[in-house]
Amino acid sequence: MSSNATGTVTLLKSVIGNEAATQLMQCKEFGGMSLEIPKTDKGRGAPLVAHLTEVIGEAAVMALIAHFGGEKIYIPRDAQVARQQRNKNIIYQYSTGASVRELVGQYMLSDRHIRSILNNHNSDGSRITD
C-alpha cells in the first residue's frame, strides 16, 4: 500500500467507506500504525479483527480482509492527512500567485514554515525568498 497518506486514504475509503476510514484514522490504537491484516477473521488474527470490528464495524472489517488479507498496510493519522492536504493547497496557491505573506495570514503559519513547505516541494532546487 502507498506510503503517501492521501493515496492511502483514498484507497481505504474506496474499500471500507468514508466513515469507517475516518474512524480508523482517528482511533488512537490504529491511526499512524502499520497493521498486518489477517487473511481470515479466525485464528491468530481474531483478537485484531474483534478490536477492528468495535471501531469500524463488521462489514468494513470483512472488506479490509477481502482486499488486504495477509498484507501489511499503513493507517495514517487523520491529522497527517489534513496536513498533507494543507501543504498541497499552499503549494497550489503560491504557484497561482499568492504571496508568502498572504499564505501566512490564511494558514496561520510562520513565513519560515510556509517557505519550508514550498522549498521542500521545489524540484529544481530554487529557494523561495519573497
Side-chain angles (χ1 to χ4, degrees), residues 55-109:
V55 175
I56 62 174
E58 185 176 2
V61 173
M62 290 299 124
L64 274 178
I65 290 171
H67 196 277
F68 300 109
E71 294 181 36
K72 192 173 202 171
I73 64 169
Y74 176 72
I75 309 298
R77 279 189 215 105
D78 204 29
Q80 178 183 6
V81 175
R83 185 172 43 255
Q84 219 172 38
Q85 187 59 51
R86 178 208 62 200
N87 291 353
K88 283 183 179 182
N89 291 342
I90 288 170
I91 292 162
Y92 173 76
Q93 288 178 284
Y94 185 81
S95 73
T96 59
S99 69
V100 170
R101 177 171 280 163
E102 290 168 331
L103 296 170
V104 164
Q106 180 176 349
Y107 290 96
M108 304 301 290
L109 297 172

